[in-house]
Amino acid sequence: MSNTIGNLFKGDKGIWMVFFFLCIVSIVEVYSASTMLTYKGGSYITPILKHIFLLGLGLTAMVVTANINCGYFKFLTPFVLGGAFVLLLVVLAIGTATNGAQRWINIGPIQFQPSELAKGALILSTAQILSSLQTENGADPRAFRYILGVCGGIIPFIMVENLSTAALLCAVILMMMFIGRVPMRQIGKLLGAVVILGAFMLSMIMMFGHAEEKTEPNKQNLTEQVQTESKKEKEKGAIGKVFHRFDTWKGRIDKFLDSKELTPKDVDLDEDAQESYAKVAIATSNVVGKGPGNSDQCDFISQAFSDFIYAIIIEEMGIEGAFGVAMLYIILLFRTGRIANRCETSFPAFLAMGLALLLVTQALFNMMVAVGMVPVTGQPLPLISRGGTSTITNCIYIGVILSISRSAKRKQELVVEPMPQNGDATSSATVSTTDNSDRADKADNAAE
């Protein structure tokens, strides 16, 4: 029985432990933070059962992926990249809008978010380009152009409806180019272009975005508001449909840059509810936390189970629990770095590091939003927040890392055996090669 389980759950044991700890935290905190879903659906058990089902589905996908030889991932690159491109076009044409963003495709009762697939496709493509054009002195200069070409065909379609995901993906690709030893001259030029483009985009948002004006609600104002909104929609036309997210982005930037201290009576709980109650949740944790399931502020945060779940973790588990969750992602990154360092070929190493950086960077974004360090981005906490597409795709990303830890060919290192101490003058130091995988397996067996 133990052999069967061991054959099923293959790969790095440390990453498996991190995954299971994250799942435990996820189940406890999503159950605690699903008050809004309970209110809407009328059942307190249905949301958590659905979440557990999705985690189970993700675990199944992860186990299947982990048992695939990592060499096959290279052959999937053109198919995954082409499929992501087509789905991004489809979602822009006939996608379903939620919370003002058109990011989902409905397939029967299932909602699918193509940007999640696109993230993995870009990392897979970047890893293959970097590995194919590696030289003794680093990546060939052509790799930079190829990576920009691939990103140019994917990222703009993500950016239209999901600027934070596009920015996150750009940051990860940049880190992969640095790890892949792309010439620093090219990276420097890219950073300069990014700064200029970022300044241009910010100026466009501030110029053409329209923050909503707050007015006292009454029947006359409501009628005027409906008529004004209808008129604006007609005036926008095709250009307005592309840049309709400018209003949302400007509102978030204005809110973040407004450093004025608000008194409790000045807080608009209709506009600032999530950020305000997240701060209350952190402030009332009293360092040690209230205990799992004892959150009070989850009743007032609409996305407590997703975008702001880290605030609920702090409220219930205190600073120690928040630090422990953050450390799980750090351990994931370091374990993946160890796996990548042992790979003999560069493709699995770049792929593993790219996926780990994606998960950890997204987690960092989510945590910074929850504590008010950056504007609201809408990024869930990987493997903890409640989600559909994101939960399953993140499990698949972990499965890819596990597959690499299990099946990637490992470096041969030189081991110098000590000279015998029996005084035999004819004896000399011998040099032999040892496969790191054998040594790692022995270490794992000893630890078990």
Side-chain angles (χ1 to χ4, degrees):
M1 180 67 179
S2 60
N3 290 335
T4 302
I5 295 176
N7 291 331
L8 186 63
F9 297 100
K10 297 177 181 178
D12 187 87
K13 301 298 188 297
I15 291 180
W16 274 111
M17 292 301 297
V18 168
F19 172 77
F20 283 122
F21 276 121
L22 288 174
C23 286
I24 292 171
V25 173
S26 176
I27 292 172
V28 172
E29 294 303 324
V30 168
Y31 178 72
S32 176
S34 296
T35 304
M36 289 293 179
L37 296 177
T38 299
Y39 177 76
K40 291 178 181 179
S43 172
Y44 71 91
I45 198 67
T46 301
I48 190 60
L49 288 179
K50 183 178 179 181
H51 181 61
I52 292 174
F53 171 76
L54 287 172
L55 283 176
L57 195 61
L59 175 61
T60 302
M62 187 173 74
V63 170
V64 171
T65 306
N67 282 272
I68 297 173
N69 190 293
C70 66
Y72 291 107
F73 297 137
K74 184 178 292 188
F75 299 106
L76 293 175
T77 303
F79 302 103
V80 175
L81 190 63
F85 179 76
V86 171
L87 289 174
L88 287 173
L89 291 178
V90 171
V91 77
L92 287 178
I94 59 171
T96 301
T98 303
N99 295 327
Q102 190 169 314
R103 303 174 185 170
W104 287 266
I105 296 175
N106 285 338
I107 305 176
I110 301 173
Q111 273 195 334
F112 177 73
Q113 195 169 355
S115 61
E116 294 294 330
L117 176 63
K119 289 191 293 187
L122 264 187
I123 290 174
L124 187 62
S125 302
T126 303
Q128 185 160 344
I129 292 170
L130 289 173
S131 63
S132 300
L133 295 175
Q134 280 294 306
T135 66
E136 293 182 358
N137 299 320
D140 188 285
R142 292 176 299 168
F144 180 78
R145 296 194 295 269
Y146 294 152
I147 292 173
L148 288 187
V150 173
C151 292
I154 295 293
I155 289 180
F157 295 101
I158 300 176
M159 185 174 64
V160 170
E161 294 291 341
N162 199 340
L163 181 62
S164 61
T165 297
L168 169 69
L169 195 52
C170 288
V172 174
I173 297 299
L174 183 63
M175 287 186 280
M176 288 184 68
M177 287 195 289
F178 181 79
I179 294 172
R181 301 187 300 166
V182 169
M184 291 303 298
R185 178 174 54 84
Q186 292 180 320
I187 293 179
K189 290 180 179 179
L190 177 62
L191 288 175
V194 168
V195 171
I196 295 173
L197 180 61
F200 174 74
M201 282 293 298
L202 182 61
S203 63
M204 291 287 289
I205 291 171
M206 302 308 290
M207 287 175 59
F208 296 105
H210 300 282
E212 296 181 359
E213 297 181 358
K214 299 176 183 178
T215 57
E216 293 295 329
N218 55 60
K219 292 183 179 180
Q220 183 178 357
N221 285 342
L222 182 61
T223 304
E224 291 177 357
Q225 183 179 359
V226 172
Q227 293 175 350
T228 302
E229 291 295 330
S230 177
K231 183 178 179 181
K232 285 181 179 179
E233 289 296 326
K234 293 179 181 178
E235 291 176 351
K236 283 181 178 180
I239 297 177
K241 290 181 179 179
V242 176
F243 298 108
H244 70 281
R245 294 288 291 170
F246 275 22
D247 296 349
T248 301
W249 297 338
K250 182 178 181 180
R252 290 176 176 178
I253 294 171
D254 286 341
K255 190 182 300 181
F256 178 74
L257 294 179
D258 186 6
S259 59
K260 182 179 69 174
E261 292 292 336
L262 296 177
T263 60
K265 66 178 182 179
D266 293 328
V267 175
D268 188 341
L269 293 182
D270 291 327
E271 295 293 331
D272 308 319
Q274 297 205 101
E275 298 93 322
S276 300
Y277 284 119
K279 292 177 182 178
V280 173
I282 295 172
T284 57
S285 65
N286 295 324
V287 180
V288 295
K290 300 176 180 178
N294 293 322
S295 171
D296 296 320
Q297 306 310 316
C298 64
D299 296 339
F300 309 103
I301 305 176
S302 61
Q303 295 296 318
F305 52 85
S306 180
D307 300 351
F308 286 88
I309 196 168
Y310 194 64
I312 305 302
I313 291 173
I314 297 175
E315 182 186 11
E316 294 188 349
M317 301 172 65
I319 301 301
E320 292 183 358
F323 178 77
V325 170
M327 282 303 300
L328 289 174
Y329 291 105
I330 300 300
I331 293 171
L332 172 64
L333 182 62
F334 274 90
R335 293 293 295 187
T336 305
R338 181 172 177 266
I339 293 167
N341 188 53
R342 295 206 311 257
C343 292
E344 183 180 59
T345 56
S346 57
F347 170 71
F350 290 144
L351 178 58
M353 285 305 300
L355 294 175
L357 286 170
L358 175 65
L359 294 172
V360 175
T361 305
Q362 182 174 327
L364 181 63
F365 266 68
N366 178 277
M367 294 174 186
M368 293 175 71
V369 168
V371 299
M373 293 179 65
V374 297
V376 177
T377 60
Q379 294 295 325
L381 191 58
L383 301 172
I384 291 183
S385 293
R386 182 182 182 274
T389 309
S390 62
T391 297
I392 296 173
T393 52
N394 288 334
C395 287
I396 292 175
Y397 296 158
I398 296 290
V400 172
I401 297 174
L402 290 170
S403 170
I404 292 170
S405 73
R406 179 187 67 85
S407 60
K409 191 174 181 181
R410 303 186 184 184
K411 293 178 181 176
Q412 301 282 336
E413 68 177 14
L414 295 178
V415 179
V416 180
E417 297 179 358
M419 294 180 62
Q421 301 297 322
N422 56 7
D424 186 358
T426 60
S427 300
S428 61
T430 59
V431 179
S432 62
T433 59
T434 302
D435 191 338
N436 279 340
S437 60
D438 295 336
R439 298 176 66 187
D441 292 341
K442 291 177 182 178
D444 289 339
N445 293 333
E448 292 174 359

